[in-house]
């Protein structure tokens, strides 16, 4: 079975600090995709960053970057220079080549304090 | 790009009525759309996968006669909650697959349904 685990239910940091959210997954598929989605209080689900498993280079999007460790099946999200607008639920998700279904982690509630 | 709209954003209805929720991909064609339900403080629960021009595929435990899905075009999918009851009150979110190659789903803003 494919699973995604987020072990941090809630985190809080001061504005401008760097924070890392952890995510591990389990799969037997050889090709797959990993995602971080953000869900702010508005509840709109927003794609933050995407990583293709066959790419060794870690994906980056401005202040957001991932540390993708394929052998360890780890996919952490680093947010640099955190801003108040980063306050949200963050979900790690996985999709394998064999089907369309996104497998979701339980989410991490991130609070950025002023 | 890759914008998905959902309408209505809020709906309050009486028990026994039917409610239709629309999901549209505004700037791309989506052969596949997904319908999710989200309970408070939980991640998304997939209800069904909607493919344009064919019947939807429902997840185990989701009543297909209760949650009718139609995907009539490459930019529109609808979810109809038939004979709604208070236990159907929830947050419903749709997503659209922007590209099979990218394997990425883009989400609508969601619909809050309250059944009285």
């Amino acid at each position: 079975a494919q699973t995604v685990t987020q072990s941090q239910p809630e985190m809080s940091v001061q504005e401008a600090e760097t924070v890392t959210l952890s995510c591990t997954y389990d799969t037997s598929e050889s090709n797959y995709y990993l995602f971080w989605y953000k869900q702010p209080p508005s509840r709109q689900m927003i794609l933050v960053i995407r990583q293709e498993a066959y790419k060794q280079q870690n994906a980056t999007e401005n202040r957001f970057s991932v540390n993708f460790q394929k052998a360890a099946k780890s996919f952490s999200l680093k947010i640099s220079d955190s801003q108040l607008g980063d306050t949200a639920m963050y979900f790690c998700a996985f999709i394998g080549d064999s089907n369309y279904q996104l497998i979701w982690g339980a989410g991490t509630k991130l609070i950025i304090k002023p | 790009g890759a914008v998905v709209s959902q309408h209505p954003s809020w709906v309050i209805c009486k028990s026994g009525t039917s409610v239709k929720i629309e999901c549209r991909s505004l700037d791309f064609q989506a052969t596949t759309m997904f319908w999710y339900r989200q309970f408070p403080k939980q991640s998304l629960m997939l209800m069904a996968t909607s493919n344009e021009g064919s019947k939807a595929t429902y997840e185990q435990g989701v009543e297909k006669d209760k949650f009718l899905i139609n995907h009539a075009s490459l930019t529109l999918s609808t979810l109809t909650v038939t004979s709604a009851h208070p236990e159907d009150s929830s947050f419903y979110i749709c997503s659209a697959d922007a590209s099979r190659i990218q394997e990425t789903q883009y989400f609508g803003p969601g619909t809050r349904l309250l059944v009285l």
Side-chain angles (χ1 to χ4, degrees):
Chain A
Q2 297 165 339
T3 58
V4 176
T5 302
Q6 291 179 252
S7 58
Q8 304 150 313
E10 184 169 327
M11 296 183 71
S12 65
V13 298
Q14 294 294 136
E15 191 177 9
E17 289 184 349
T18 294
V19 60
T20 299
L21 309 183
S22 66
C23 172
T24 59
Y25 60 95
D26 191 22
T27 183
S28 57
E29 298 217 30
S30 57
N31 196 31
Y32 49 89
Y33 303 80
L34 294 158
F35 306 86
W36 278 98
Y37 282 93
K38 165 186 176 180
Q39 189 178 37
S42 68
R43 302 189 79 174
Q44 166 79 63
M45 195 69 79
I46 301 165
L47 175 67
V48 175
I49 201 164
R50 171 182 59 229
Q51 174 82 42
E52 292 91 337
Y54 62 85
K55 289 187 176 180
Q56 291 185 333
Q57 188 174 6
N58 288 325
T60 62
E61 286 289 341
N62 300 314
R63 296 183 297 108
F64 299 88
S65 62
V66 298
N67 183 4
F68 175 46
Q69 301 290 326
K70 190 172 183 178
K73 294 182 179 174
S74 171
F75 183 61
S76 61
L77 174 70
K78 185 172 83 171
I79 305 174
S80 304
D81 185 27
S82 58
Q83 301 174 359
L84 297 178
D86 296 333
T87 293
M89 282 290 291
Y90 285 81
F91 292 98
C92 179
F94 162 102
I95 191 166
D97 249 5
S98 64
N99 62 59
Y100 287 91
Q101 185 172 343
L102 272 171
I103 309 299
W104 296 88
T108 296
K109 183 177 182 180
L110 176 64
I111 300 170
I112 308 299
K113 296 180 288 186
Chain B
V3 178
V4 178
S5 70
Q6 209 171 318
H7 177 80
S9 56
W10 255 112
V11 59
I12 302 172
C13 68
K14 292 181 179 180
S15 184
T17 60
S18 294
V19 175
K20 180 186 282 189
I21 303 170
E22 292 188 349
C23 178
R24 293 180 186 274
S25 56
L26 298 185
D27 52 0
F28 64 98
Q29 293 184 329
T31 54
T32 306
M33 290 183 171
F34 305 85
W35 287 96
Y36 295 87
R37 185 171 177 175
Q38 187 178 31
F39 295 100
K41 299 184 179 181
Q42 295 186 23
S43 63
L44 278 65
M45 181 189 77
L46 180 65
M47 298 174 65
T49 301
S50 168
N51 293 295
E52 186 266 338
S54 64
K55 291 183 178 180
T57 303
Y58 290 81
E59 295 301 305
Q60 191 172 9
V62 178
E63 300 176 56
K64 59 181 68 176
D65 294 330
K66 173 77 171 174
F67 298 99
L68 299 178
I69 291 172
N70 182 275
H71 194 158
S73 76
L74 288 172
T75 59
L76 173 65
S77 177
T78 60
L79 168 68
T80 301
V81 183
T82 61
S83 186
H85 288 98
E87 58 266 29
D88 298 324
S89 299
S90 192
F91 188 65
Y92 294 87
I93 310 177
C94 72
S95 72
D97 190 339
S99 166
R100 187 65 181 92
I101 297 174
Q102 291 180 335
E103 301 281 1
T104 300
Q105 294 181 27
Y106 292 90
F107 288 81
T111 297
R112 292 169 176 80
L113 170 63
L114 176 61
V115 185
L116 302 175

